């Protein structure tokens, strides 16, 4: 019997098995309360089962409510062999590991072992915790309390995952002192190597049938070889990316290279501590590190602005940046000479030496390469740019396209690659995503949402809005949104494209709520962590949450708590972004239109994510309000709204107010009590 015949038999078996599990009288319906069979989910699961059987690649776009998680997990657990599932966020990673996979394992009675693998910064480090306890370098009373909690936690935890210790906020500064980095990990030389949580997690991942990771971890490893994926990938039969629309951005981050003044200041801090601990008589350590620290700070001060992003070409030749960079390299070179002499005194000093050389190499590599030189052959075309924050400066080298690099990673051993998301295509056209990822000629399929958007919601574009670049625009957004927020009884997400707009909208709404005696709790991004804000928003029942990019996706609020999503502007990336500008220039050299072929599809995919926050199940009702007049006035506007869910559409405020009045009557009726 030929291989083709065997494959087609396998496909038939898989198709009928999927039907038995997902169908009306199937396993899921009979074991999971409230589960309803959906044709789109069955078809998606069958397509994934076929890709697994044939060790093929599949791009799978499934509208909200299709049930894509079960559609990929069930075939993967049954037929996927060794499976890596990569998610967009750590929250979804935890949800898969703690909730979805255990549910499916139980239903299928599948004897598969599952492991969760996160980046090393998520695991407590015995060595660094002990060193921090001994050093007593903590300055705030809060951090001292957190450190006490952590030292108690390490005695009881089996995973060392900081997510288990909710009492200490994820953003607490103390975490950086009690976790390791690739640079300061002692590896097998460490006295705690046998108890190391990072090593333990990697070992479990190597032995497990299913490993749950996130995109950052996956690509950090392919680039840095530091997270355990490099050892996992060769043995994996199936790789599944959920929230795959995030991959181009994440991969770009890691296939590039960045070095920051913060890394150099951390090196100075550690060199001083280790030098004084192990080689006090070997050098005047404070005098050795001081010039490096000063040079790093001077480099940051080359740009007086609080935050700035500039390509190398945009930096004036007369800028202090260039001599300051040379000065930093020279001073770092002097530090390396001292470390080389003292390295044999202690393993930790040797480690500082290796780090210093690595940083100097990165600084030396941050330069223009002649595209015709031997050095350029085989290297991706890159853009060099700087990014200044309030206290640090980062030097970036970013590839213009990740497609050739990612394709290289997919070569070799045949395996299944599944790319799943609710938003990869623009009006069922995958060409933008395909060109970004280099997935040419791979099959791509779309399954629409089962929701009845025309009945469940309205797309409202208010009339008479000013142009989005005008000074009064954000105030006009608040003025237009206020009567709709009031009609909705709060229950609103206001999604902004910039942090500045978030701040301004928050100030204005606070004033307006007070003036009109509207008792709607206001939740603003930055006032607390994302999870905490969402929990408080859900619990309030009539809250208004204002957020920027991190609330546009991966946020699930079902039911009455969310009835209105207001989007201030179409989410076009800022045109002065150095990477975007370089990509557009490269596209236009090839005769493509940067706006049509890159900026527009990117904005549509982003907008689809924001719009997807509104209707999360069959009973949800609500209004999607997009304030940007370009949706109507520009020729490309039609392409945008045709890519959104098929809501009823209006420009009339009274239509929206009537919708909410009727919705309120429905909610108040005895039948719904």
């Amino acid at each position: 019997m030929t291989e083709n015949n065997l494959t087609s038999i396998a496909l038939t078996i898989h198709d009928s098995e999927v039907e038995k599990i997902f169908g009306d009288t199937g396993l899921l319906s009979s074991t999971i309360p409230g589960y309803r069979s959906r044709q789109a989910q069955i078809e998606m699961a069958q397509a994934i089962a076929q890709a697994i059987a044939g060790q093929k690649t599949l791009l799978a776009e499934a509208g909200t409510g299709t049930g894509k998680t079960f559609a990929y997990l069930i075939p993967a657990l049954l037929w996927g062999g060794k499976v890596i599932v990569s998610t967009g966020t750590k929250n979804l990673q935890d949800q898969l590991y703690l909730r979805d996979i255990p549910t499916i394992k139980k239903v299928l009675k599948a004897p598969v072992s599952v492991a969760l693998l996160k980046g090393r910064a998520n695991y407590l480090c015995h060595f660094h915790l002990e060193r921090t306890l001994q050093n007593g370098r903590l300055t705030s009373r809060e951090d001292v309390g957190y450190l006490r909690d952590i030292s108690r936690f390490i005695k009881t935890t089996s995973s060392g995952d900081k997510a288990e210790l909710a009492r200490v906020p994820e953003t607490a500064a103390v975490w950086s002192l009690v976790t390791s980095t690739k640079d300061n990990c002692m590896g097998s030389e460490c006295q705690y190597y046998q108890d190391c949580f990072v090593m333990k997690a990697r070992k479990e991942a190597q032995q497990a049938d299913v490993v749950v990771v996130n995109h950052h971890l996956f690509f950090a490893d392919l680039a840095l070889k530091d997270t355990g994926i490099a050892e996992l990938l060769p043995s994996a039969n199936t790789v599944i990316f959920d929230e795959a629309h995030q991959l181009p951005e994440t991969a770009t981050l890691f296939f590039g290279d960045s070095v920051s003044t913060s890394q150099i200041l951390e090196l100075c801090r550690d060199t001083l501590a280790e030098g004084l601990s192990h080689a006090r008589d070997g050098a005047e350590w404070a005098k050795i590190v001081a010039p490096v620290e000063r040079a790093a700070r001077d480099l940051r001060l080359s740009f007086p602005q609080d935050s700035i992003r500039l390509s190398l070409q945009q930096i004036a030749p007369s800028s202090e940046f260039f001599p300051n960079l040379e000065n930093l390299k020279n001073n770092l070179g002097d530090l390396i000479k001292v470390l080389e002499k003292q390295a044999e005194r202690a393993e930790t000093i040797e480690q500082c030496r290796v780090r210093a050389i690595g940083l100097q190499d990165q600084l030396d590599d941050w330069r223009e390469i002649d595209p015709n030189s031997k050095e350029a052959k085989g290297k991706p075309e890159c853009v060099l740019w700087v990014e200044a924050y309030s206290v640090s400066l980062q030097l970036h080298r970013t590839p213009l396209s990740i497609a050739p690099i990612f394709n290289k990673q997919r070569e070799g051993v045949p395996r299944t690659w599944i790319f799943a998301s609710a938003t990869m295509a623009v009006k069922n056209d995958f060409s933008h995503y395909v060109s970004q990822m280099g997935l040419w000629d791979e099959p791509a399929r779309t399954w629409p949402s089962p929701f009845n958007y025309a009945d469940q919601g309205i797309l409202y574009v208010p009339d008479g809005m000013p142009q989005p670049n005008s000074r009064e625009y954000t105030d006009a957004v608040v003025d237009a949104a206020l009567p709709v927020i009031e009609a909705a009884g709060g229950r609103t997400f206001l999604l902004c494209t910039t942090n500045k707009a978030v701040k301004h909208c928050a100030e204005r709404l606070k004033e307006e709520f007070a003036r009109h005696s509207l008792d709607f709790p206001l939740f603003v991004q930055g006032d607390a962590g994302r999870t905490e804000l969402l929990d408080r928003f859900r619990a309030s029942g009539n809250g208004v949450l204002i957020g920027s990019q991190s609330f546009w996706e991966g946020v699930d609020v079902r039911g009455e708590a969310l009835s209105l999503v207001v989007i201030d502007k179409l989410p076009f990336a800022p045109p002065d972004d150095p990477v975007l500008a370089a990509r557009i220039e490269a596209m236009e050299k090839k005769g493509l239109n940067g706006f049509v072929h890159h900026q527009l599809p990117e904005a549509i995919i982003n907008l689809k994510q924001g719009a997807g926050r509104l209707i999360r199940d069959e009973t949800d009702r609500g209004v999607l309000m997009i304030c940007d007049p370009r949706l109507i006035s520009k020729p490309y506007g039609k392409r945008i709204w045709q890519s959104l869910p098929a809501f009823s559409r209006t420009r009339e405020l009274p239509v929206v107010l009537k919708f909410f009045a009727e919705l309120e009557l429905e909610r108040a009726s005895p039948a719904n009590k």
Side-chain angles (χ1 to χ4, degrees), residues 300-603:
R300 165 60 193 94
L301 294 172
S302 310
F303 305 101
Q305 299 91 329
D306 252 9
S307 64
I308 192 171
R309 293 155 71 96
L310 293 172
S311 67
L312 183 58
Q313 286 81 5
Q314 288 175 308
I315 303 171
S318 58
S319 168
E320 286 293 300
F321 170 79
F322 297 104
N324 286 346
L325 180 58
E326 287 309 310
N327 187 37
L328 176 58
K329 287 185 197 175
N330 293 337
N331 282 304
L332 192 54
D334 293 342
L335 175 64
I336 289 167
K337 285 175 193 163
V338 175
L339 287 168
E340 278 170 346
K341 285 180 186 162
Q342 303 298 323
E344 61 191 28
R345 303 277 294 270
E347 180 62 34
T348 48
I349 297 179
E350 163 62 11
Q351 208 175 47
C352 288
R353 182 190 73 85
V354 171
R355 277 166 68 187
I357 290 170
L359 288 168
Q360 185 156 62
D361 287 346
Q362 284 181 286
L363 291 173
D364 287 339
D365 286 346
W366 195 81
R367 61 195 165 82
E368 294 282 20
I369 294 172
D370 178 357
N372 303 313
S373 68
K374 278 185 185 174
E375 194 183 354
K377 297 288 177 274
K379 282 192 175 179
E381 198 182 342
C382 289
V383 55
L384 301 179
W385 56 290
V386 300
E387 187 170 21
Y389 299 96
S390 53
V391 293
S392 71
L393 184 78
Q394 287 193 324
L395 309 183
H396 300 281
R397 170 192 288 282
T398 303
L400 290 186
S401 171
I402 59 147
I405 317 171
F406 184 57
N407 269 335
K408 209 170 177 184
Q409 301 294 346
R410 292 176 62 233
E411 285 170 3
V413 183
R415 62 173 61 91
T416 304
W417 297 83
I418 306 290
F419 298 82
S421 170
T423 56
M424 278 189 287
V426 175
K427 271 186 72 185
N428 297 337
D429 176 2
F430 286 83
S431 54
H432 174 62
Y433 187 80
V434 161
S435 64
Q436 283 183 303
M437 296 299 293
L439 299 169
W440 297 283
D441 304 322
E442 300 291 8
R445 291 190 60 186
T446 296
W447 291 272
S449 167
F451 301 155
N452 185 341
Y453 284 106
D455 283 350
Q456 288 181 249
I458 294 176
L459 169 59
Y460 169 47
V461 182
D463 217 345
M465 290 293 290
Q467 286 306 303
N469 58 359
S470 62
R471 288 186 66 177
E472 67 273 18
Y473 185 76
T474 305
D475 283 315
V477 167
V478 174
D479 294 340
L482 197 62
V484 190
I485 293 171
E486 189 172 355
R491 302 176 175 135
T492 300
F493 269 12
L494 173 47
L495 301 177
C496 300
T497 49
T498 64
N499 290 326
K500 188 180 174 187
V502 168
K503 201 174 170 198
H504 189 73
C505 287
E507 287 165 1
R508 274 288 318 274
L509 280 181
K510 198 174 178 184
E511 289 167 14
E512 297 295 342
F513 288 175
R515 184 179 301 147
H516 297 282
S517 303
L518 296 173
D519 189 20
F520 303 140
L522 202 55
F523 305 99
V524 184
Q525 181 178 328
D527 288 356
R530 187 172 91 151
T531 308
E532 189 186 333
L533 279 178
L534 281 170
D535 288 345
R536 281 161 44 188
F537 174 82
R538 283 190 195 98
S540 74
N542 67 338
V544 175
L545 187 148
I546 309 175
S548 64
Q549 195 56 53
S550 65
F551 285 91
W552 282 65
E553 58 181 281
V555 172
D556 191 8
V557 179
R558 293 167 193 241
E560 294 181 13
L562 181 61
S563 300
L564 171 64
V565 171
V566 182
I567 291 176
D568 71 337
K569 283 183 194 178
L570 297 176
F572 288 110
D576 59 348
D577 178 272
V579 179
L580 176 64
R583 280 187 176 147
I584 288 171
E585 191 184 331
M587 290 176 93
E588 291 181 345
K589 276 180 191 166
K590 293 175 188 166
L592 296 169
N593 181 308
F595 179 77
V596 171
H597 293 105
H598 188 81
Q599 285 171 282
L600 184 58
E602 280 285 290

Side-chain angles (χ1 to χ4, degrees), residues 129-412:
L129 173 61
E130 185 173 303
R131 203 169 75 154
T132 303
L133 287 166
Q134 285 170 353
N135 286 353
R137 285 191 302 195
L138 298 178
T139 48
S140 77
R141 183 180 296 175
E142 199 175 35
D143 280 346
V144 171
Y146 290 153
L147 188 62
R148 203 176 300 121
D149 289 334
I150 291 167
S151 55
R152 277 200 289 265
F153 171 67
I154 202 167
K155 294 177 183 136
T156 57
T157 177
S158 59
S159 71
D161 184 348
K162 68 182 191 184
E164 291 175 15
L165 186 58
R167 226 176 19 256
V168 180
E170 201 179 337
T171 51
V174 71
W175 283 122
S176 66
L177 299 173
V178 296
T179 53
S180 70
T181 64
K182 183 187 179 206
D183 292 334
N184 66 22
C185 171
M186 303 280 289
S188 55
E189 301 294 317
C190 180
Q191 69 204 76
Y192 296 106
Y193 187 71
Q194 297 302 320
D195 302 316
C196 176
F197 293 122
V198 173
M199 291 302 134
K200 195 173 160 191
R202 288 183 187 178
K203 198 172 173 186
E204 282 173 11
Q206 280 168 350
Q207 292 165 353
D209 301 310
V210 179
V211 187
V212 184
V213 302
N214 61 58
H215 303 338
H216 275 253
L217 185 72
F218 190 93
F219 286 104
D221 194 78
L222 293 184
L224 309 172
K225 303 284 181 285
D226 178 46
T227 63
I229 306 281
E231 298 101 64
L232 284 180
L233 198 53
S235 62
N237 308 100
T238 304
V239 179
I240 299 172
F241 294 107
D242 196 348
E243 296 181 321
H245 62 278
Q246 295 180 6
L247 294 183
E249 195 176 322
T250 310
T252 299
L253 189 69
F254 288 106
F255 288 148
D257 189 34
S258 294
V259 57
S260 77
T261 55
S262 297
Q263 286 171 281
I264 290 162
L265 292 173
E266 280 167 21
L267 169 73
C268 291
R269 182 192 74 188
D270 292 346
T271 298
L272 182 61
E274 299 310 326
L276 292 175
S277 295
H278 302 289
R280 187 177 284 270
D281 57 340
E284 290 191 68
W285 293 101
K287 282 187 182 173
I288 298 293
V289 300
V292 185
E293 287 179 328
R294 193 160 49 247
R297 291 198 174 99
D298 285 346
L299 188 65
R300 165 60 193 94
L301 294 172
S302 310
F303 305 101
Q305 299 91 329
D306 252 9
S307 64
I308 192 171
R309 293 155 71 96
L310 293 172
S311 67
L312 183 58
Q313 286 81 5
Q314 288 175 308
I315 303 171
S318 58
S319 168
E320 286 293 300
F321 170 79
F322 297 104
N324 286 346
L325 180 58
E326 287 309 310
N327 187 37
L328 176 58
K329 287 185 197 175
N330 293 337
N331 282 304
L332 192 54
D334 293 342
L335 175 64
I336 289 167
K337 285 175 193 163
V338 175
L339 287 168
E340 278 170 346
K341 285 180 186 162
Q342 303 298 323
E344 61 191 28
R345 303 277 294 270
E347 180 62 34
T348 48
I349 297 179
E350 163 62 11
Q351 208 175 47
C352 288
R353 182 190 73 85
V354 171
R355 277 166 68 187
I357 290 170
L359 288 168
Q360 185 156 62
D361 287 346
Q362 284 181 286
L363 291 173
D364 287 339
D365 286 346
W366 195 81
R367 61 195 165 82
E368 294 282 20
I369 294 172
D370 178 357
N372 303 313
S373 68
K374 278 185 185 174
E375 194 183 354
K377 297 288 177 274
K379 282 192 175 179
E381 198 182 342
C382 289
V383 55
L384 301 179
W385 56 290
V386 300
E387 187 170 21
Y389 299 96
S390 53
V391 293
S392 71
L393 184 78
Q394 287 193 324
L395 309 183
H396 300 281
R397 170 192 288 282
T398 303
L400 290 186
S401 171
I402 59 147
I405 317 171
F406 184 57
N407 269 335
K408 209 170 177 184
Q409 301 294 346
R410 292 176 62 233
E411 285 170 3

